[in-house]
Amino acid sequence: MESLESIWMHAIFFIADERLADLAGAAALQMTLHWDCDFHIFIERQEPTAQIREVGSGRITYHYEELGGFLPDGLPESSRWPRIVYLRLFAPRLLSSYRRLLYLDADILSFDADAALWEVPLPHGLGAVADLAALERGHDKKERKAWLAGIGVRSGRYANSGVLLIDPAVWNRIDFAGMLPEYFAAYPATTFPDQDFLAHVFDGRWTELSPRYNWQGGVLHWGLTRAVAPVFVHFCGMVRPWHGAQALWLDPNDSAYSEYYDRALENTGLSVQAYRKVFRLPPLRRAKYALLSWLSKKGIPSRREGARRAEWWSNHRFLRSYIEGGLAEARFAGEPRTRLDLREPHPFWDGRFVRVDGDLPPGDPVRMPPAEAT
């Protein structure tokens, strides 16, 4: 019989294949700085003989090929959305002794810990953050209501599946294996298969968490990050911070995130060079962006700059209004604030992107000496 102590414990878990295993290990080790809980990394290799470099820590447990058997055949998959995206549904079966579980994508860093998250009531078994890129319009810029209807969502609510707060006692009563084939037979044109499926299964019946628990990559440069003070930053863009700092015209986000990832990887004993990826721009495009930036500094804005600035301010104000409205209405679970402490941002034009420098989460997320890996 399990002790009461074990029943009331909490855990964070990741799921990765051999391509993301090192990043999941680095993220888990980095989070041991902030979070007093257990960590589980489920490895589901596409190549069974692939060697996995485990991060040495007493709080981190690795699991190998323990989840694939739960998954029914015939589910949609692609190079962008491999089969492992569905496995987050089944890991709670193997972690059922915990009172609360927190699933995190491997492309997330923790900037703080908030023990209040573990106490959020989950009457339907799930807490999540709204998908911030789909608040105004559907993915692929589709009309939102029609897009949601096309994936079987009637409530108007849609969550990002990169951070999931789970009550395993409730979650494990759901027959996900039986529901998955039925869902994709009824809704074959999904864009984000696992995320769309969860939005349908929990249609309007999930607890909305504050955006600070899943601050997503697409909004990092909208001038709200420091005010939001995210607990988790989710780097779900095309250019990832472990690729290394890029030229201004390749990524609108602050290069400090790349420095954080460099240290997180180095703390696992990994070489950051193995994760570098250089995105190149043709010389003519670089020259065009440089000219547009120079004209802006001289007080001669281009039409492109005017349009991009207007779009940036529209995005900033919309997201700001959404968050401030949620705070004022106490709509976000686990969020004690009633307002944002926000200074008016001062964006600038670099020739391609409207940017805000120095708008980073408070604190330093990686401040430990290198750890041994086995």
Side-chain angles (χ1 to χ4, degrees):
M1 182 175 177
E2 295 170 337
S3 68
L4 289 177
E5 181 182 5
S6 68
I7 292 173
W8 288 89
M9 288 175 62
H10 314 120
I12 293 174
F13 71 96
F14 303 83
I15 297 172
D17 57 16
E18 59 268 33
R19 298 173 303 171
L20 294 175
D22 285 342
L23 290 171
L29 184 62
Q30 182 265 335
M31 289 178 199
T32 62
L33 290 168
H34 309 299
W35 293 87
D36 183 19
C37 66
D38 293 339
F39 293 81
H40 294 268
I41 301 177
F42 290 87
I43 304 296
E44 296 288 329
R45 289 170 286 200
Q46 298 185 49
E47 173 51 59
T49 61
Q51 296 297 305
I52 304 299
R53 196 168 185 271
E54 294 188 5
V55 171
S57 172
R59 302 302 299 270
I60 302 174
T61 302
Y62 280 76
H63 307 257
Y64 292 92
E65 283 76 49
E66 294 185 6
L67 298 175
F70 291 109
L71 198 61
D73 294 327
L75 300 181
E77 59 181 298
S78 65
S79 58
R80 185 180 181 190
W81 305 109
R83 285 171 62 84
I84 64 167
V85 300
Y86 303 106
L87 298 181
R88 70 195 73 186
L89 302 172
F90 303 103
R93 296 191 185 188
L94 305 182
L95 303 173
S96 60
S97 64
Y98 291 99
R99 178 177 175 268
R100 285 286 187 274
L101 297 171
L102 188 64
Y103 166 78
L104 300 176
D105 278 355
D107 55 354
I108 288 174
L109 284 184
S110 168
F111 281 76
D112 196 6
D114 187 352
L117 183 62
W118 301 125
E119 305 305 321
V120 170
L122 300 176
H124 302 290
L126 173 64
V129 175
D131 192 308
L132 303 178
L135 291 173
E136 263 191 299
R137 63 185 70 87
H139 285 297
D140 298 329
K141 298 185 178 181
K142 297 176 181 177
E143 194 278 323
R144 194 171 191 276
K145 187 175 181 179
W147 163 68
L148 288 174
I151 59 172
V153 177
R154 296 179 175 83
S155 65
R157 301 176 63 206
Y158 184 81
N160 183 282
S161 63
V163 176
L164 302 175
L165 181 66
I166 294 169
D167 179 344
V170 180
W171 183 274
N172 289 335
R173 294 200 294 264
I174 302 172
D175 180 17
F176 291 114
M179 297 172 75
L180 278 165
E182 295 175 358
Y183 173 74
F184 289 112
Y187 302 99
T190 60
T191 305
F192 300 91
D194 65 302
Q195 193 164 279
D196 295 350
F197 171 73
L198 281 171
H200 171 75
V201 171
F202 292 91
D203 193 359
R205 298 179 301 110
W206 49 277
T207 300
E208 185 170 1
L209 304 175
S210 168
R212 68 191 297 259
Y213 293 117
N214 184 359
W215 192 238
Q216 296 147 36
V219 303
L220 281 174
H221 66 292
W222 287 4
L224 293 162
T225 297
R226 189 164 190 85
V228 168
V231 172
F232 296 113
V233 175
H234 185 185
F235 299 101
C236 48
M238 182 185 73
V239 180
R240 310 298 186 96
W242 56 84
H243 292 149
Q246 303 289 332
L248 289 177
W249 306 312
L250 285 161
D251 182 20
N253 295 322
D254 199 298
S255 62
Y257 294 115
S258 291
E259 297 170 12
Y260 295 147
Y261 254 98
D262 284 355
R263 280 189 279 150
L265 289 167
E266 288 167 354
N267 285 343
T268 68
L270 297 168
S271 168
V272 298
Q273 295 304 318
Y275 299 89
R276 291 293 187 255
K277 182 177 180 180
V278 178
F279 296 84
R280 302 190 183 282
L281 283 171
L284 285 177
R285 289 181 67 186
R286 293 202 306 269
K288 180 179 75 173
Y289 297 146
L291 175 61
L292 292 173
S293 175
W294 180 82
L295 288 172
S296 180
K297 292 174 183 177
K298 295 294 183 181
I300 311 172
S302 62
R303 276 196 299 178
R304 180 188 293 266
E305 177 181 351
R308 294 295 180 267
R309 281 185 179 273
E311 179 183 46
W312 188 94
W313 278 108
S314 176
N315 290 332
H316 169 87
R317 289 171 179 141
F318 177 85
L319 185 58
R320 177 176 177 174
S321 175
Y322 168 79
I323 295 173
E324 290 182 329
L327 294 176
E329 298 165 9
R331 191 171 69 242
F332 302 135
E335 175 61 83
R337 295 177 295 182
T338 59
R339 59 184 295 274
L340 285 179
D341 182 13
L342 178 65
R343 298 177 181 176
E344 195 70 7
H346 298 285
F348 69 95
W349 171 246
D350 73 1
R352 184 182 187 187
F353 300 113
V354 177
R355 306 161 56 93
V356 180
D357 276 348
D359 184 41
L360 298 165
D364 183 347
V366 190
R367 54 180 188 278
M368 64 189 296
E372 293 183 0
T374 60

